[in-house]
Amino acid sequence: MNIHWHERKKRFYERMLEDKEIGYLDPGIERLLEAFFHRDGLYTTSSCIGRITVLYGLYPWERDSTSIIFKKHGKIDEETVRYYIENPSYEHLWLRVTGPIVHVICKDEKWAQWIIEIARKSGFKHSCIFSMKDDIVVEIMSSIQVTMPLKIGNTPLVCTEKLSDTVALFNSLWEKGVSSAESLRRLVESSPDPSPSSAS
Amino acid sequence: MNIHWHERKKRFYERMLEDKEIGYLDPGIERLLEAFFHRDGLYTTSSCIGRITVLYGLYPWERDSTSIIFKKHGKIDEETVRYYIENPSYEHLWLRVTGPIVHVICKDEKWAQWIIEIARKSGFKHSCIFSMKDDIVVEIMSSIQVTMPLKIGNTPLVCTEKLSDTVALFNSLWEKGVSSAESLRRLVESSPDPSPSSAS
C-alpha cells in the first residue's frame, strides 16, 4: 500500500466526486472539501457538515450500545421529535446536534500545524492530530455539541409543551455549524502556505 | 527555557504535590496522576476528574461570552439547579456534565502513541495529540459530555416537575467518569513500556 502521497490524494479526490454524484456527500460541504484539495499539502477522507440526531440508549457516546434512530444533516421539525418521545418503545432518548467534522490527511507536520491553527481560529477548538501511524491525520472538529436527554426510562425530562422552542434552538445551532464551515473554508482558501523555515 | 525533559517533569511533580497540599487538585485524581508520573516517558501538567457546571450564555462552548455560574467536581443537588432556573436574571442556562481530562507531556512520539492507545481503550475516545510545537502534548479526553439547555430566554426547556430525575442522571454520568479514570489508571500502571522497535 506504499502508494505515493499525491497519487492517494488524486484517488480520494475522485472518490469525493463520486460521493457527490451518488448523493453521499453532505449538502453544502463540497466547497469546503474543494478548498482542502486545492492546498498542496492536504486532502480529506471523510466529512460531515453537522447533523441533528435522535439517539436511543443509556449513554449517547457509546456506539455499541446506542442506536441512531433519526438523523438529518439539516433542520428538523417538532413532530418528528414528539413522535419518538411519545413512542413508549423508545426509552432513554437523546437529542443531539453536532457541528462539522472533517478528517484531513497532511503531507507533513508543517501542514498539520498549519491546518490545526486555521481550524482553531475558525472556532474548531477540538482540532488535533488524531493519528500519526501511517499518515498524519488531523481531525477538525467543531466545538458545537449539545446533547439533551429527552427521556430516561419513559419519563420525559424535556418540557413537552415547549418542544417547539427546543427544536428551534437545535436548528439554530445546526445553522451556526454551517456558518463556521464557511469561515473555515474562507481561511483555508486565503491563508498563505506554511513557511518553509518552520519545517520539521 | 531549554530545560531538560526530566528536570521539567520533576518540577511538575513537585507542583502537583503542592496543588494537592493547598486543595487545588481535584479529589480522587491523585492516584491517576501518580500513575502517569511513574511511567518513564510521561508527565501531566493539568487535569480534571470531571465536573458538573451550570453555564449562563447563548453558546455553552464559547468561553468569552459564556460564564460558569456554578461548578462542582462531584454530585449536585436538585435545589441548586432549581435556584438558577427560577432566577429570572439568568437567561440562557445550560447544565453540563463532562468526564475526566488530563494533559500529558510525552518524551517522544512512541510514548504519545502508547498513551493515546491506552486512553482510547479505557473509553477516552477523543484523546489525541493536541500540540507538537515544543513538547508533544496529548489531551486525554473523556467521551462523556452531556450539555442540556435548561432555559432559553426565560422559557424553561426542561420539565421542572422531573428535575430530580435530570439531576440524578447528571450525577450518574459524573460517577461514570470517575470510574473511567480508574480504568485508565489501571491500564497506565499495568501496560508494558512501548516497544523500542516502534521508535520513530
Side-chain angles (χ1 to χ4, degrees):
Chain A
M1 294 302 286
N2 194 13
I3 314 168
H4 189 273
W5 195 88
H6 280 96
E7 178 59 28
R8 277 178 290 159
K9 174 169 175 169
K10 196 166 157 266
R11 289 191 186 180
F12 271 97
Y13 186 70
E14 284 157 6
R15 206 188 68 172
M16 194 262 282
L17 294 181
E18 275 170 34
D19 285 351
K20 189 195 156 195
E21 196 72 18
I22 58 176
Y24 188 66
L25 214 60
D26 289 355
I29 208 163
E30 191 196 348
R31 284 184 72 195
L32 175 62
L33 302 187
E34 287 279 2
F36 280 99
F37 276 100
H38 281 140
R39 301 306 305 228
D40 179 55
L42 306 175
Y43 68 90
T44 67
T45 54
S46 62
S47 61
C48 175
I49 190 68
R51 63 189 197 179
I52 301 179
T53 46
V54 178
L55 301 155
Y56 167 44
L58 271 178
Y59 304 114
W61 56 84
E62 283 190 354
R63 288 191 185 174
D64 297 343
S65 59
T66 297
S67 316
I68 297 174
I69 53 174
F70 173 83
K71 174 172 74 173
K72 193 167 174 193
H73 296 95
K75 295 202 249 178
I76 58 166
D77 54 50
E78 186 188 339
E79 289 64 40
T80 306
V81 182
R82 192 175 295 280
Y83 164 78
Y84 291 111
I85 293 176
E86 289 178 354
N87 188 328
S89 51
Y90 294 120
E91 299 176 328
H92 304 302
L93 277 190
W94 307 79
L95 185 63
R96 170 179 275 184
V97 58
T98 46
I101 298 176
V102 185
H103 284 125
V104 187
I105 311 294
C106 308
K107 206 164 65 173
D108 52 35
E109 273 179 32
K110 210 173 47 174
W111 277 99
Q113 279 170 21
W114 183 88
I115 190 58
I116 286 174
E117 266 175 44
I118 282 176
R120 291 189 186 150
K121 267 188 213 162
S122 319
F124 291 74
K125 298 279 167 62
H126 291 306
S127 304
C128 62
I129 297 175
F130 199 67
S131 170
M132 296 189 73
K133 268 196 171 163
D134 301 309
D135 283 316
I136 305 181
V137 185
V138 167
E139 185 175 62
I140 293 181
M141 198 172 165
S142 170
S143 312
I144 299 174
Q145 197 212 92
V146 171
T147 309
M148 183 178 195
L150 292 174
K151 60 177 182 179
I152 293 300
N154 261 313
T155 304
L157 301 187
V158 286
C159 177
T160 49
E161 294 84 43
K162 300 288 180 188
L163 198 56
S164 63
D165 293 276
T166 296
V167 167
L169 172 70
F170 276 69
N171 285 339
S172 73
L173 298 178
W174 179 81
E175 280 186 321
K176 204 169 154 62
V178 175
S179 305
S180 68
E182 268 301 286
S183 312
L184 176 62
R185 178 186 64 77
R186 281 193 294 270
L187 269 185
V188 171
E189 282 175 354
S190 64
S191 301
D193 278 359
S195 131
S197 62
S198 67
S200 54
Chain B
M1 292 299 285
N2 195 12
I3 313 166
H4 189 272
W5 194 88
H6 280 97
E7 178 58 29
R8 276 177 291 159
K9 174 169 177 168
K10 196 167 157 266
R11 289 191 186 180
F12 271 97
Y13 186 70
E14 284 158 5
R15 206 189 67 171
M16 194 264 283
L17 294 181
E18 276 169 33
D19 285 350
K20 189 195 155 194
E21 197 73 16
I22 59 175
Y24 187 68
L25 214 60
D26 288 355
I29 209 162
E30 190 196 349
R31 285 185 71 196
L32 174 61
L33 301 187
E34 286 279 1
F36 279 99
F37 275 101
H38 281 141
R39 301 307 305 229
D40 179 54
L42 305 174
Y43 68 88
T44 66
T45 54
S46 63
S47 62
C48 174
I49 191 67
R51 64 189 197 179
I52 301 178
T53 46
V54 178
L55 302 154
Y56 167 42
L58 270 179
Y59 304 115
W61 55 84
E62 283 189 356
R63 287 191 187 177
D64 297 341
S65 59
T66 297
S67 317
I68 297 174
I69 54 173
F70 173 82
K71 173 171 75 173
K72 194 169 173 192
H73 296 96
K75 295 202 247 178
I76 58 165
D77 54 49
E78 185 188 339
E79 287 64 40
T80 306
V81 182
R82 192 175 294 281
Y83 164 78
Y84 291 110
I85 292 176
E86 290 177 354
N87 188 328
S89 51
Y90 293 120
E91 299 176 328
H92 304 303
L93 276 189
W94 307 79
L95 185 63
R96 170 179 273 183
V97 58
T98 46
I101 297 176
V102 186
H103 284 127
V104 187
I105 312 293
C106 307
K107 206 163 65 174
D108 52 35
E109 273 179 32
K110 209 172 49 176
W111 276 99
Q113 279 170 21
W114 183 89
I115 189 58
I116 286 174
E117 266 177 43
I118 283 176
R120 291 190 185 149
K121 268 188 211 162
S122 317
F124 291 74
K125 298 280 167 60
H126 291 306
S127 303
C128 60
I129 298 175
F130 198 68
S131 171
M132 295 189 74
K133 268 197 171 162
D134 302 308
D135 283 316
I136 304 181
V137 184
V138 167
E139 185 174 62
I140 294 181
M141 197 173 166
S142 170
S143 313
I144 298 174
Q145 197 213 94
V146 172
T147 309
M148 183 179 195
L150 293 173
K151 60 177 182 179
I152 293 301
N154 261 312
T155 305
L157 301 187
V158 287
C159 177
T160 49
E161 295 83 44
K162 301 290 180 186
L163 197 58
S164 64
D165 293 275
T166 297
V167 167
L169 171 69
F170 275 70
N171 284 338
S172 74
L173 298 179
W174 180 81
E175 280 185 321
K176 204 170 155 64
V178 175
S179 306
S180 68
E182 268 300 287
S183 311
L184 175 63
R185 178 186 63 77
R186 282 193 293 270
L187 270 186
V188 172
E189 282 175 354
S190 64
S191 301
D193 278 358
S195 134
S197 62
S198 67
S200 53

PDB file of all heavy atoms in Angstrom, chain A residues 58-84:
ATOM      1  N   LEU A  58     -28.603   4.108  26.734  1.00  0.00           N
ATOM      2  CA  LEU A  58     -28.285   4.675  28.041  1.00  0.00           C
ATOM      3  C   LEU A  58     -27.260   5.805  27.946  1.00  0.00           C
ATOM      4  O   LEU A  58     -27.368   6.802  28.651  1.00  0.00           O
ATOM      5  CB  LEU A  58     -27.732   3.576  28.961  1.00  0.00           C
ATOM      6  CG  LEU A  58     -28.750   2.792  29.782  1.00  0.00           C
ATOM      7  CD1 LEU A  58     -28.052   1.720  30.604  1.00  0.00           C
ATOM      8  CD2 LEU A  58     -29.542   3.736  30.712  1.00  0.00           C
ATOM      9  N   TYR A  59     -26.235   5.591  27.082  1.00  0.00           N
ATOM     10  CA  TYR A  59     -25.142   6.553  27.012  1.00  0.00           C
ATOM     11  C   TYR A  59     -24.951   7.011  25.563  1.00  0.00           C
ATOM     12  O   TYR A  59     -24.534   6.200  24.724  1.00  0.00           O
ATOM     13  CB  TYR A  59     -23.855   5.927  27.562  1.00  0.00           C
ATOM     14  CG  TYR A  59     -24.033   5.412  28.970  1.00  0.00           C
ATOM     15  CD1 TYR A  59     -23.965   4.048  29.256  1.00  0.00           C
ATOM     16  CD2 TYR A  59     -24.299   6.297  30.010  1.00  0.00           C
ATOM     17  CE1 TYR A  59     -24.144   3.584  30.558  1.00  0.00           C
ATOM     18  CE2 TYR A  59     -24.485   5.845  31.302  1.00  0.00           C
ATOM     19  CZ  TYR A  59     -24.406   4.488  31.574  1.00  0.00           C
ATOM     20  OH  TYR A  59     -24.596   4.032  32.850  1.00  0.00           O
ATOM     21  N   PRO A  60     -25.223   8.276  25.279  1.00  0.00           N
ATOM     22  CA  PRO A  60     -25.232   8.713  23.880  1.00  0.00           C
ATOM     23  C   PRO A  60     -23.882   8.594  23.175  1.00  0.00           C
ATOM     24  O   PRO A  60     -23.829   8.600  21.954  1.00  0.00           O
ATOM     25  CB  PRO A  60     -25.680  10.177  23.978  1.00  0.00           C
ATOM     26  CG  PRO A  60     -25.476  10.581  25.393  1.00  0.00           C
ATOM     27  CD  PRO A  60     -25.610   9.341  26.212  1.00  0.00           C
ATOM     28  N   TRP A  61     -22.788   8.522  23.926  1.00  0.00           N
ATOM     29  CA  TRP A  61     -21.463   8.468  23.303  1.00  0.00           C
ATOM     30  C   TRP A  61     -21.006   7.025  23.026  1.00  0.00           C
ATOM     31  O   TRP A  61     -19.964   6.829  22.426  1.00  0.00           O
ATOM     32  CB  TRP A  61     -20.419   9.171  24.187  1.00  0.00           C
ATOM     33  CG  TRP A  61     -20.397   8.594  25.562  1.00  0.00           C
ATOM     34  CD1 TRP A  61     -19.704   7.481  25.970  1.00  0.00           C
ATOM     35  CD2 TRP A  61     -21.132   9.052  26.693  1.00  0.00           C
ATOM     36  NE1 TRP A  61     -19.962   7.236  27.289  1.00  0.00           N
ATOM     37  CE2 TRP A  61     -20.834   8.184  27.762  1.00  0.00           C
ATOM     38  CE3 TRP A  61     -22.005  10.121  26.918  1.00  0.00           C
ATOM     39  CZ2 TRP A  61     -21.392   8.344  29.031  1.00  0.00           C
ATOM     40  CZ3 TRP A  61     -22.551  10.267  28.165  1.00  0.00           C
ATOM     41  CH2 TRP A  61     -22.248   9.400  29.211  1.00  0.00           C
ATOM     42  N   GLU A  62     -21.780   6.035  23.475  1.00  0.00           N
ATOM     43  CA  GLU A  62     -21.353   4.637  23.266  1.00  0.00           C
ATOM     44  C   GLU A  62     -21.961   4.077  21.994  1.00  0.00           C
ATOM     45  O   GLU A  62     -23.157   3.813  21.921  1.00  0.00           O
ATOM     46  CB  GLU A  62     -21.766   3.787  24.474  1.00  0.00           C
ATOM     47  CG  GLU A  62     -20.844   4.008  25.636  1.00  0.00           C
ATOM     48  CD  GLU A  62     -21.053   3.030  26.791  1.00  0.00           C
ATOM     49  OE1 GLU A  62     -22.004   2.228  26.732  1.00  0.00           O
ATOM     50  OE2 GLU A  62     -20.264   3.089  27.735  1.00  0.00           O
ATOM     51  N   ARG A  63     -21.101   3.865  21.014  1.00  0.00           N
ATOM     52  CA  ARG A  63     -21.594   3.448  19.698  1.00  0.00           C
ATOM     53  C   ARG A  63     -22.151   2.025  19.697  1.00  0.00           C
ATOM     54  O   ARG A  63     -23.031   1.704  18.915  1.00  0.00           O
ATOM     55  CB  ARG A  63     -20.471   3.529  18.665  1.00  0.00           C
ATOM     56  CG  ARG A  63     -20.158   4.967  18.346  1.00  0.00           C
ATOM     57  CD  ARG A  63     -19.260   5.079  17.137  1.00  0.00           C
ATOM     58  NE  ARG A  63     -18.886   6.458  16.936  1.00  0.00           N
ATOM     59  CZ  ARG A  63     -18.031   6.872  16.036  1.00  0.00           C
ATOM     60  NH1 ARG A  63     -17.445   6.004  15.239  1.00  0.00           N
ATOM     61  NH2 ARG A  63     -17.747   8.145  15.910  1.00  0.00           N
ATOM     62  N   ASP A  64     -21.605   1.160  20.549  1.00  0.00           N
ATOM     63  CA  ASP A  64     -22.030  -0.245  20.540  1.00  0.00           C
ATOM     64  C   ASP A  64     -23.435  -0.407  21.105  1.00  0.00           C
ATOM     65  O   ASP A  64     -24.223  -1.206  20.608  1.00  0.00           O
ATOM     66  CB  ASP A  64     -21.062  -1.106  21.363  1.00  0.00           C
ATOM     67  CG  ASP A  64     -19.670  -1.089  20.747  1.00  0.00           C
ATOM     68  OD1 ASP A  64     -19.565  -0.703  19.571  1.00  0.00           O
ATOM     69  OD2 ASP A  64     -18.704  -1.453  21.458  1.00  0.00           O
ATOM     70  N   SER A  65     -23.730   0.342  22.167  1.00  0.00           N
ATOM     71  CA  SER A  65     -24.993   0.110  22.868  1.00  0.00           C
ATOM     72  C   SER A  65     -26.059   1.165  22.546  1.00  0.00           C
ATOM     73  O   SER A  65     -27.185   1.059  23.000  1.00  0.00           O
ATOM     74  CB  SER A  65     -24.739   0.077  24.375  1.00  0.00           C
ATOM     75  OG  SER A  65     -24.169   1.306  24.784  1.00  0.00           O
ATOM     76  N   THR A  66     -25.700   2.164  21.760  1.00  0.00           N
ATOM     77  CA  THR A  66     -26.654   3.240  21.461  1.00  0.00           C
ATOM     78  C   THR A  66     -26.929   3.304  19.961  1.00  0.00           C
ATOM     79  O   THR A  66     -26.002   3.200  19.157  1.00  0.00           O
ATOM     80  CB  THR A  66     -26.093   4.591  21.977  1.00  0.00           C
ATOM     81  OG1 THR A  66     -25.984   4.499  23.398  1.00  0.00           O
ATOM     82  CG2 THR A  66     -26.999   5.752  21.625  1.00  0.00           C
ATOM     83  N   SER A  67     -28.211   3.427  19.605  1.00  0.00           N
ATOM     84  CA  SER A  67     -28.572   3.470  18.175  1.00  0.00           C
ATOM     85  C   SER A  67     -29.018   4.863  17.781  1.00  0.00           C
ATOM     86  O   SER A  67     -29.710   5.546  18.545  1.00  0.00           O
ATOM     87  CB  SER A  67     -29.756   2.542  17.895  1.00  0.00           C
ATOM     88  OG  SER A  67     -29.600   1.314  18.545  1.00  0.00           O
ATOM     89  N   ILE A  68     -28.660   5.229  16.560  1.00  0.00           N
ATOM     90  CA  ILE A  68     -29.195   6.464  15.974  1.00  0.00           C
ATOM     91  C   ILE A  68     -30.520   6.077  15.322  1.00  0.00           C
ATOM     92  O   ILE A  68     -30.547   5.304  14.371  1.00  0.00           O
ATOM     93  CB  ILE A  68     -28.232   7.023  14.909  1.00  0.00           C
ATOM     94  CG1 ILE A  68     -26.888   7.405  15.553  1.00  0.00           C
ATOM     95  CG2 ILE A  68     -28.845   8.220  14.199  1.00  0.00           C
ATOM     96  CD1 ILE A  68     -25.825   7.827  14.562  1.00  0.00           C
ATOM     97  N   ILE A  69     -31.627   6.588  15.853  1.00  0.00           N
ATOM     98  CA  ILE A  69     -32.917   6.208  15.253  1.00  0.00           C
ATOM     99  C   ILE A  69     -33.439   7.287  14.309  1.00  0.00           C
ATOM    100  O   ILE A  69     -34.371   7.062  13.555  1.00  0.00           O
ATOM    101  CB  ILE A  69     -33.987   5.856  16.323  1.00  0.00           C
ATOM    102  CG1 ILE A  69     -34.140   6.980  17.354  1.00  0.00           C
ATOM    103  CG2 ILE A  69     -33.632   4.546  17.012  1.00  0.00           C
ATOM    104  CD1 ILE A  69     -35.267   6.727  18.325  1.00  0.00           C
ATOM    105  N   PHE A  70     -32.821   8.457  14.362  1.00  0.00           N
ATOM    106  CA  PHE A  70     -33.173   9.512  13.402  1.00  0.00           C
ATOM    107  C   PHE A  70     -31.928  10.367  13.169  1.00  0.00           C
ATOM    108  O   PHE A  70     -31.198  10.668  14.106  1.00  0.00           O
ATOM    109  CB  PHE A  70     -34.316  10.387  13.947  1.00  0.00           C
ATOM    110  CG  PHE A  70     -34.614  11.576  13.089  1.00  0.00           C
ATOM    111  CD1 PHE A  70     -35.431  11.447  11.977  1.00  0.00           C
ATOM    112  CD2 PHE A  70     -34.065  12.824  13.373  1.00  0.00           C
ATOM    113  CE1 PHE A  70     -35.697  12.541  11.158  1.00  0.00           C
ATOM    114  CE2 PHE A  70     -34.326  13.922  12.555  1.00  0.00           C
ATOM    115  CZ  PHE A  70     -35.146  13.774  11.446  1.00  0.00           C
ATOM    116  N   LYS A  71     -31.714  10.751  11.925  1.00  0.00           N
ATOM    117  CA  LYS A  71     -30.519  11.549  11.592  1.00  0.00           C
ATOM    118  C   LYS A  71     -30.847  12.493  10.445  1.00  0.00           C
ATOM    119  O   LYS A  71     -31.464  12.080   9.470  1.00  0.00           O
ATOM    120  CB  LYS A  71     -29.405  10.591  11.161  1.00  0.00           C
ATOM    121  CG  LYS A  71     -28.149  11.247  10.639  1.00  0.00           C
ATOM    122  CD  LYS A  71     -27.043  10.239  10.424  1.00  0.00           C
ATOM    123  CE  LYS A  71     -27.282   9.370   9.200  1.00  0.00           C
ATOM    124  NZ  LYS A  71     -26.130   8.491   8.882  1.00  0.00           N
ATOM    125  N   LYS A  72     -30.454  13.745  10.577  1.00  0.00           N
ATOM    126  CA  LYS A  72     -30.655  14.681   9.463  1.00  0.00           C
ATOM    127  C   LYS A  72     -29.521  15.702   9.407  1.00  0.00           C
ATOM    128  O   LYS A  72     -29.173  16.294  10.428  1.00  0.00           O
ATOM    129  CB  LYS A  72     -32.000  15.407   9.621  1.00  0.00           C
ATOM    130  CG  LYS A  72     -32.411  16.133   8.353  1.00  0.00           C
ATOM    131  CD  LYS A  72     -33.852  16.584   8.386  1.00  0.00           C
ATOM    132  CE  LYS A  72     -34.131  17.438   7.148  1.00  0.00           C
ATOM    133  NZ  LYS A  72     -35.406  18.156   7.274  1.00  0.00           N
ATOM    134  N   HIS A  73     -28.956  15.874   8.205  1.00  0.00           N
ATOM    135  CA  HIS A  73     -27.953  16.914   8.002  1.00  0.00           C
ATOM    136  C   HIS A  73     -28.682  18.192   7.618  1.00  0.00           C
ATOM    137  O   HIS A  73     -28.500  18.726   6.514  1.00  0.00           O
ATOM    138  CB  HIS A  73     -26.961  16.499   6.915  1.00  0.00           C
ATOM    139  CG  HIS A  73     -26.162  15.297   7.297  1.00  0.00           C
ATOM    140  ND1 HIS A  73     -26.504  14.018   6.941  1.00  0.00           N
ATOM    141  CD2 HIS A  73     -25.053  15.164   8.069  1.00  0.00           C
ATOM    142  CE1 HIS A  73     -25.636  13.170   7.448  1.00  0.00           C
ATOM    143  NE2 HIS A  73     -24.747  13.832   8.139  1.00  0.00           N
ATOM    144  N   GLY A  74     -29.523  18.641   8.513  1.00  0.00           N
ATOM    145  CA  GLY A  74     -30.342  19.807   8.224  1.00  0.00           C
ATOM    146  C   GLY A  74     -31.278  20.053   9.383  1.00  0.00           C
ATOM    147  O   GLY A  74     -31.157  19.422  10.436  1.00  0.00           O
ATOM    148  N   LYS A  75     -32.212  20.953   9.175  1.00  0.00           N
ATOM    149  CA  LYS A  75     -33.132  21.312  10.252  1.00  0.00           C
ATOM    150  C   LYS A  75     -34.230  20.256  10.414  1.00  0.00           C
ATOM    151  O   LYS A  75     -34.604  19.593   9.447  1.00  0.00           O
ATOM    152  CB  LYS A  75     -33.741  22.682   9.942  1.00  0.00           C
ATOM    153  CG  LYS A  75     -32.678  23.787   9.961  1.00  0.00           C
ATOM    154  CD  LYS A  75     -33.301  25.136  10.197  1.00  0.00           C
ATOM    155  CE  LYS A  75     -33.217  26.004   8.965  1.00  0.00           C
ATOM    156  NZ  LYS A  75     -33.858  27.314   9.178  1.00  0.00           N
ATOM    157  N   ILE A  76     -34.699  20.133  11.619  1.00  0.00           N
ATOM    158  CA  ILE A  76     -35.719  19.116  11.904  1.00  0.00           C
ATOM    159  C   ILE A  76     -37.034  19.791  12.285  1.00  0.00           C
ATOM    160  O   ILE A  76     -37.073  21.006  12.519  1.00  0.00           O
ATOM    161  CB  ILE A  76     -35.260  18.185  13.049  1.00  0.00           C
ATOM    162  CG1 ILE A  76     -34.969  19.006  14.329  1.00  0.00           C
ATOM    163  CG2 ILE A  76     -34.018  17.411  12.636  1.00  0.00           C
ATOM    164  CD1 ILE A  76     -34.844  18.170  15.570  1.00  0.00           C
ATOM    165  N   ASP A  77     -38.111  19.008  12.358  1.00  0.00           N
ATOM    166  CA  ASP A  77     -39.369  19.604  12.816  1.00  0.00           C
ATOM    167  C   ASP A  77     -39.806  18.974  14.143  1.00  0.00           C
ATOM    168  O   ASP A  77     -39.396  17.881  14.517  1.00  0.00           O
ATOM    169  CB  ASP A  77     -40.461  19.524  11.740  1.00  0.00           C
ATOM    170  CG  ASP A  77     -40.655  18.109  11.252  1.00  0.00           C
ATOM    171  OD1 ASP A  77     -40.810  17.203  12.102  1.00  0.00           O
ATOM    172  OD2 ASP A  77     -40.626  17.895  10.035  1.00  0.00           O
ATOM    173  N   GLU A  78     -40.657  19.723  14.811  1.00  0.00           N
ATOM    174  CA  GLU A  78     -41.126  19.350  16.146  1.00  0.00           C
ATOM    175  C   GLU A  78     -41.838  17.985  16.153  1.00  0.00           C
ATOM    176  O   GLU A  78     -41.647  17.189  17.069  1.00  0.00           O
ATOM    177  CB  GLU A  78     -42.104  20.446  16.621  1.00  0.00           C
ATOM    178  CG  GLU A  78     -42.574  20.281  18.022  1.00  0.00           C
ATOM    179  CD  GLU A  78     -43.683  21.295  18.363  1.00  0.00           C
ATOM    180  OE1 GLU A  78     -43.789  22.338  17.681  1.00  0.00           O
ATOM    181  OE2 GLU A  78     -44.429  21.025  19.317  1.00  0.00           O
ATOM    182  N   GLU A  79     -42.626  17.714  15.108  1.00  0.00           N
ATOM    183  CA  GLU A  79     -43.439  16.491  15.067  1.00  0.00           C
ATOM    184  C   GLU A  79     -42.559  15.244  15.140  1.00  0.00           C
ATOM    185  O   GLU A  79     -42.913  14.267  15.786  1.00  0.00           O
ATOM    186  CB  GLU A  79     -44.303  16.438  13.786  1.00  0.00           C
ATOM    187  CG  GLU A  79     -45.449  17.433  13.763  1.00  0.00           C
ATOM    188  CD  GLU A  79     -44.996  18.895  13.775  1.00  0.00           C
ATOM    189  OE1 GLU A  79     -43.993  19.220  13.095  1.00  0.00           O
ATOM    190  OE2 GLU A  79     -45.626  19.713  14.489  1.00  0.00           O
ATOM    191  N   THR A  80     -41.411  15.301  14.456  1.00  0.00           N
ATOM    192  CA  THR A  80     -40.501  14.154  14.445  1.00  0.00           C
ATOM    193  C   THR A  80     -40.045  13.841  15.868  1.00  0.00           C
ATOM    194  O   THR A  80     -40.082  12.685  16.305  1.00  0.00           O
ATOM    195  CB  THR A  80     -39.265  14.477  13.562  1.00  0.00           C
ATOM    196  OG1 THR A  80     -39.729  14.874  12.287  1.00  0.00           O
ATOM    197  CG2 THR A  80     -38.333  13.293  13.447  1.00  0.00           C
ATOM    198  N   VAL A  81     -39.621  14.876  16.570  1.00  0.00           N
ATOM    199  CA  VAL A  81     -39.105  14.668  17.922  1.00  0.00           C
ATOM    200  C   VAL A  81     -40.231  14.194  18.845  1.00  0.00           C
ATOM    201  O   VAL A  81     -40.065  13.268  19.639  1.00  0.00           O
ATOM    202  CB  VAL A  81     -38.443  15.963  18.456  1.00  0.00           C
ATOM    203  CG1 VAL A  81     -37.853  15.726  19.844  1.00  0.00           C
ATOM    204  CG2 VAL A  81     -37.361  16.437  17.505  1.00  0.00           C
ATOM    205  N   ARG A  82     -41.397  14.810  18.691  1.00  0.00           N
ATOM    206  CA  ARG A  82     -42.544  14.426  19.524  1.00  0.00           C
ATOM    207  C   ARG A  82     -42.918  12.953  19.298  1.00  0.00           C
ATOM    208  O   ARG A  82     -43.238  12.227  20.249  1.00  0.00           O
ATOM    209  CB  ARG A  82     -43.738  15.346  19.231  1.00  0.00           C
ATOM    210  CG  ARG A  82     -44.862  15.208  20.263  1.00  0.00           C
ATOM    211  CD  ARG A  82     -45.983  16.210  20.020  1.00  0.00           C
ATOM    212  NE  ARG A  82     -45.576  17.601  20.198  1.00  0.00           N
ATOM    213  CZ  ARG A  82     -45.460  18.201  21.386  1.00  0.00           C
ATOM    214  NH1 ARG A  82     -45.714  17.529  22.486  1.00  0.00           N
ATOM    215  NH2 ARG A  82     -45.075  19.452  21.470  1.00  0.00           N
ATOM    216  N   TYR A  83     -42.837  12.515  18.065  1.00  0.00           N
ATOM    217  CA  TYR A  83     -43.177  11.129  17.740  1.00  0.00           C
ATOM    218  C   TYR A  83     -42.320  10.152  18.571  1.00  0.00           C
ATOM    219  O   TYR A  83     -42.836   9.203  19.166  1.00  0.00           O
ATOM    220  CB  TYR A  83     -42.972  10.871  16.234  1.00  0.00           C
ATOM    221  CG  TYR A  83     -42.939   9.409  15.887  1.00  0.00           C
ATOM    222  CD1 TYR A  83     -44.117   8.666  15.794  1.00  0.00           C
ATOM    223  CD2 TYR A  83     -41.719   8.730  15.699  1.00  0.00           C
ATOM    224  CE1 TYR A  83     -44.091   7.307  15.503  1.00  0.00           C
ATOM    225  CE2 TYR A  83     -41.686   7.384  15.406  1.00  0.00           C
ATOM    226  CZ  TYR A  83     -42.873   6.676  15.310  1.00  0.00           C
ATOM    227  OH  TYR A  83     -42.841   5.333  15.045  1.00  0.00           O
ATOM    228  N   TYR A  84     -41.033  10.405  18.630  1.00  0.00           N
ATOM    229  CA  TYR A  84     -40.149   9.488  19.370  1.00  0.00           C
ATOM    230  C   TYR A  84     -40.389   9.589  20.877  1.00  0.00           C
ATOM    231  O   TYR A  84     -40.361   8.590  21.580  1.00  0.00           O
ATOM    232  CB  TYR A  84     -38.678   9.761  19.039  1.00  0.00           C
ATOM    233  CG  TYR A  84     -38.337   9.374  17.625  1.00  0.00           C
ATOM    234  CD1 TYR A  84     -38.045  10.343  16.668  1.00  0.00           C
ATOM    235  CD2 TYR A  84     -38.324   8.035  17.239  1.00  0.00           C
ATOM    236  CE1 TYR A  84     -37.753   9.989  15.353  1.00  0.00           C
ATOM    237  CE2 TYR A  84     -38.032   7.680  15.929  1.00  0.00           C
ATOM    238  CZ  TYR A  84     -37.752   8.656  14.994  1.00  0.00           C
ATOM    239  OH  TYR A  84     -37.477   8.296  13.710  1.00  0.00           O
TER     240      TYR A  84
END
